[in-house]
Amino acid sequence: MFPSCSKKVSINYHQNFYNSNSKSPSYYQKGIASWYGPNFHGKKCASGETYNMYAYTAAHKTLPFNTLVEVTNLYNNKKVIVRINDRGPFKKNRIIDLSYAAAKKINMLGPGTAPVVLKEIKAPTTKKYYYIQVGSFESKINAYRTYFSLKKMGFYHAEVNKVKVGNKQFWRVTSGIYHSRERAKNALSKIGARYPNAFIVAR
Protein backbone atom coordinates (compact mmCIF):
# COMPACT_ATOMS: atom_id res chain seq x y z
CA MET A 1 0.00 0.00 0.00
CA PHE A 2 1.00 3.57 -0.59
CA PRO A 3 1.33 6.30 2.02
CA SER A 4 -1.89 7.91 3.26
CA CYS A 5 -4.04 5.37 1.37
CA SER A 6 -6.30 2.89 3.11
CA LYS A 7 -8.14 1.41 0.11
CA LYS A 8 -6.71 -1.89 -1.17
CA VAL A 9 -6.48 -2.22 -4.93
CA SER A 10 -5.37 -5.38 -6.72
CA ILE A 11 -2.88 -4.69 -9.49
CA ASN A 12 -1.94 -7.02 -12.34
CA TYR A 13 1.21 -5.37 -13.68
CA HIS A 14 1.52 -4.76 -17.42
CA GLN A 15 -2.07 -5.86 -18.10
CA ASN A 16 -2.74 -4.65 -21.65
CA PHE A 17 -5.84 -5.08 -23.79
CA TYR A 18 -6.24 -4.60 -27.55
CA ASN A 19 -9.33 -4.92 -29.74
CA SER A 20 -8.10 -5.00 -33.32
CA ASN A 21 -11.61 -5.50 -34.72
CA SER A 22 -12.96 -2.26 -33.28
CA LYS A 23 -12.80 1.12 -35.02
CA SER A 24 -12.94 2.89 -31.68
CA PRO A 25 -9.85 3.51 -29.51
CA SER A 26 -9.04 0.15 -27.96
CA TYR A 27 -5.89 0.36 -25.84
CA TYR A 28 -6.23 -0.28 -22.10
CA GLN A 29 -3.49 -0.77 -19.55
CA LYS A 30 -3.47 -1.26 -15.80
CA GLY A 31 -0.52 -0.62 -13.49
CA ILE A 32 1.33 2.00 -11.46
CA ALA A 33 1.64 5.67 -12.43
CA SER A 34 4.26 8.13 -11.21
CA TRP A 35 4.91 11.79 -12.02
CA TYR A 36 7.80 14.11 -12.86
CA GLY A 37 8.06 17.85 -12.49
CA PRO A 38 10.50 20.64 -11.52
CA ASN A 39 13.74 18.79 -12.32
CA PHE A 40 12.63 18.31 -15.92
CA HIS A 41 10.65 21.53 -16.52
CA GLY A 42 11.95 23.33 -19.60
CA LYS A 43 14.01 20.37 -20.83
CA LYS A 44 13.53 18.44 -24.04
CA CYS A 45 11.12 15.51 -24.23
CA ALA A 46 11.77 12.45 -26.38
CA SER A 47 9.31 13.90 -28.92
CA GLY A 48 11.46 17.03 -29.29
CA GLU A 49 8.98 19.21 -27.41
CA THR A 50 9.97 21.23 -24.36
CA TYR A 51 8.57 19.69 -21.19
CA ASN A 52 6.01 21.90 -19.45
CA MET A 53 5.08 20.58 -16.01
CA TYR A 54 1.87 22.66 -16.05
CA ALA A 55 0.51 21.04 -19.23
CA TYR A 56 -1.55 17.84 -19.27
CA THR A 57 1.05 15.53 -20.80
CA ALA A 58 2.69 12.22 -19.97
CA ALA A 59 5.50 9.82 -20.80
CA HIS A 60 4.73 6.28 -21.99
CA LYS A 61 7.06 3.56 -23.27
CA THR A 62 5.21 2.49 -26.41
CA LEU A 63 2.16 4.62 -27.26
CA PRO A 64 2.74 6.94 -30.25
CA PHE A 65 3.36 10.60 -29.54
CA ASN A 66 0.19 12.74 -29.49
CA THR A 67 -2.02 9.84 -28.38
CA LEU A 68 -4.68 11.11 -25.97
CA VAL A 69 -5.09 8.88 -22.91
CA GLU A 70 -7.58 8.97 -20.04
CA VAL A 71 -5.90 8.11 -16.74
CA THR A 72 -8.06 6.94 -13.82
CA ASN A 73 -6.65 6.88 -10.28
CA LEU A 74 -8.01 3.63 -8.82
CA TYR A 75 -7.73 4.96 -5.26
CA ASN A 76 -10.19 7.82 -5.75
CA ASN A 77 -11.63 7.31 -9.27
CA LYS A 78 -10.43 10.77 -10.35
CA LYS A 79 -9.66 11.08 -14.06
CA VAL A 80 -7.45 13.22 -16.29
CA ILE A 81 -6.83 13.22 -20.05
CA VAL A 82 -3.19 13.58 -21.10
CA ARG A 83 -1.28 13.74 -24.36
CA ILE A 84 1.72 11.43 -24.79
CA ASN A 85 4.81 13.49 -25.68
CA ASP A 86 7.68 11.71 -23.89
CA ARG A 87 9.13 8.25 -23.21
CA GLY A 88 9.21 6.50 -19.85
CA PRO A 89 8.91 5.58 -17.05
CA PHE A 90 11.92 3.31 -16.79
CA LYS A 91 11.38 2.01 -13.26
CA LYS A 92 10.04 -1.51 -12.93
CA ASN A 93 6.24 -1.95 -12.79
CA ARG A 94 5.46 1.67 -13.70
CA ILE A 95 3.44 2.24 -16.86
CA ILE A 96 3.13 6.03 -17.18
CA ASP A 97 4.83 9.20 -15.93
CA LEU A 98 2.38 12.08 -15.55
CA SER A 99 3.19 15.77 -15.64
CA TYR A 100 2.88 17.75 -12.41
CA ALA A 101 -0.45 19.23 -13.53
CA ALA A 102 -1.92 15.85 -14.46
CA ALA A 103 -0.80 14.24 -11.20
CA LYS A 104 -2.31 17.12 -9.24
CA LYS A 105 -5.61 16.71 -11.10
CA ILE A 106 -6.02 13.14 -9.79
CA ASN A 107 -4.59 13.84 -6.28
CA MET A 108 -1.38 11.88 -6.84
CA LEU A 109 1.26 14.45 -5.89
CA GLY A 110 1.56 13.49 -2.22
CA PRO A 111 1.90 9.70 -2.54
CA GLY A 112 4.03 10.08 -5.67
CA THR A 113 2.57 6.94 -7.25
CA ALA A 114 -0.88 5.41 -7.65
CA PRO A 115 -2.55 2.41 -9.31
CA VAL A 116 -4.23 3.54 -12.51
CA VAL A 117 -6.07 2.39 -15.61
CA LEU A 118 -5.14 3.92 -18.96
CA LYS A 119 -7.69 4.19 -21.76
CA GLU A 120 -6.86 5.47 -25.22
CA ILE A 121 -9.19 8.33 -26.13
CA LYS A 122 -7.78 9.30 -29.50
CA ALA A 123 -4.95 7.87 -31.56
CA PRO A 124 -2.76 10.17 -33.66
CA THR A 125 -3.71 10.33 -37.33
CA THR A 126 -0.18 9.92 -38.64
CA LYS A 127 1.07 6.50 -39.70
CA LYS A 128 2.73 4.54 -36.89
CA TYR A 129 6.11 2.95 -37.12
CA TYR A 130 7.96 0.85 -34.58
CA TYR A 131 11.41 0.12 -33.32
CA ILE A 132 12.85 -1.95 -30.48
CA GLN A 133 14.74 -0.39 -27.60
CA VAL A 134 17.27 -3.03 -26.63
CA GLY A 135 18.99 -1.15 -23.85
CA SER A 136 19.98 2.23 -22.43
CA PHE A 137 23.51 2.41 -21.02
CA GLU A 138 25.58 4.91 -19.08
CA SER A 139 28.64 3.19 -20.55
CA LYS A 140 29.34 3.85 -24.23
CA ILE A 141 31.45 0.69 -24.35
CA ASN A 142 28.55 -1.49 -23.14
CA ALA A 143 26.21 0.16 -25.62
CA TYR A 144 28.48 -0.61 -28.56
CA ARG A 145 29.06 -4.12 -27.28
CA THR A 146 25.29 -4.66 -27.52
CA TYR A 147 25.19 -2.92 -30.91
CA PHE A 148 27.81 -5.24 -32.43
CA SER A 149 26.07 -8.24 -30.89
CA LEU A 150 22.85 -7.25 -32.69
CA LYS A 151 24.75 -6.91 -35.95
CA LYS A 152 26.07 -10.46 -35.54
CA MET A 153 22.50 -11.63 -34.93
CA GLY A 154 21.50 -10.16 -38.29
CA PHE A 155 19.91 -6.92 -37.13
CA TYR A 156 21.83 -4.66 -39.49
CA HIS A 157 19.61 -1.62 -38.84
CA ALA A 158 20.67 -1.42 -35.18
CA GLU A 159 21.68 2.05 -33.97
CA VAL A 160 23.33 3.72 -31.00
CA ASN A 161 22.05 7.18 -30.07
CA LYS A 162 23.31 9.50 -27.34
CA VAL A 163 20.43 10.87 -25.25
CA LYS A 164 20.20 13.07 -22.18
CA VAL A 165 17.68 12.33 -19.44
CA GLY A 166 17.71 15.00 -16.76
CA ASN A 167 21.37 15.59 -15.92
CA LYS A 168 22.48 12.13 -17.04
CA GLN A 169 23.75 11.01 -20.43
CA PHE A 170 22.83 7.61 -21.83
CA TRP A 171 23.70 5.57 -24.92
CA ARG A 172 20.47 4.06 -26.27
CA VAL A 173 20.62 0.97 -28.47
CA THR A 174 17.70 0.37 -30.84
CA SER A 175 16.72 -1.86 -33.74
CA GLY A 176 14.34 -0.71 -36.45
CA ILE A 177 12.39 0.85 -38.13
CA TYR A 178 9.57 -1.71 -38.48
CA HIS A 179 6.49 -0.61 -40.40
CA SER A 180 4.05 -2.86 -38.56
CA ARG A 181 3.64 -4.04 -35.00
CA GLU A 182 3.70 -7.66 -36.20
CA ARG A 183 7.15 -7.25 -37.74
CA ALA A 184 8.37 -5.57 -34.57
CA LYS A 185 6.95 -8.40 -32.44
CA ASN A 186 8.69 -10.99 -34.62
CA ALA A 187 12.00 -9.17 -34.21
CA LEU A 188 11.44 -8.78 -30.47
CA SER A 189 10.90 -12.54 -30.10
CA LYS A 190 14.46 -13.07 -31.38
CA ILE A 191 16.12 -10.12 -29.68
CA GLY A 192 14.27 -10.77 -26.40
CA ALA A 193 15.75 -14.25 -26.14
CA ARG A 194 19.13 -12.61 -25.52
CA TYR A 195 18.02 -9.23 -24.17
CA PRO A 196 14.87 -9.88 -22.08
CA ASN A 197 14.43 -6.20 -21.11
CA ALA A 198 14.02 -5.10 -24.75
CA PHE A 199 10.64 -3.61 -25.66
CA ILE A 200 8.74 -2.19 -28.64
CA VAL A 201 8.35 1.57 -29.00
CA ALA A 202 5.78 3.08 -31.38
CA ARG A 203 6.06 6.51 -32.98
Side-chain angles (χ1 to χ4, degrees), residues 60-61 87-94 97 133 136 165 172 199:
H60 191 276
K61 288 182 181 178
R87 290 296 174 220
F90 299 108
K91 288 194 175 181
K92 187 177 179 181
N93 292 333
R94 297 187 185 181
D97 257 341
Q133 181 168 314
S136 191
V165 180
R172 189 169 292 166
F199 57 89

Side-chain angles (χ1 to χ4, degrees), residues 19 22-23 34 40 54 65 85 116 126-127 153 174 196 202:
N19 182 2
S22 173
K23 292 183 180 180
S34 50
F40 297 91
Y54 301 108
F65 295 135
N85 73 339
V116 298
T126 55
K127 182 177 176 60
M153 292 169 65
T174 60

Side-chain angles (χ1 to χ4, degrees), residues 145-159:
R145 186 176 291 134
T146 301
Y147 165 79
F148 287 119
S149 173
L150 289 171
K151 291 281 190 180
K152 288 182 181 179
M153 292 169 65
F155 294 95
Y156 301 111
H157 39 31
E159 291 184 354

Side-chain angles (χ1 to χ4, degrees), residues 175-186:
S175 174
I177 300 171
Y178 303 95
H179 294 285
S180 72
R181 181 173 282 275
E182 282 305 310
R183 288 184 180 181
K185 286 172 68 177
N186 289 337

Side-chain angles (χ1 to χ4, degrees), residues 4-38:
S4 73
C5 297
S6 57
K7 183 178 178 181
K8 292 184 178 180
V9 179
S10 176
I11 295 296
N12 183 1
Y13 294 109
H14 308 304
Q15 187 175 4
N16 304 329
F17 305 89
Y18 298 89
N19 182 2
S20 58
N21 296 320
S22 173
K23 292 183 180 180
S24 61
S26 54
Y27 181 89
Y28 297 82
Q29 190 177 21
K30 186 178 180 181
I32 300 297
S34 50
W35 67 275
Y36 63 131

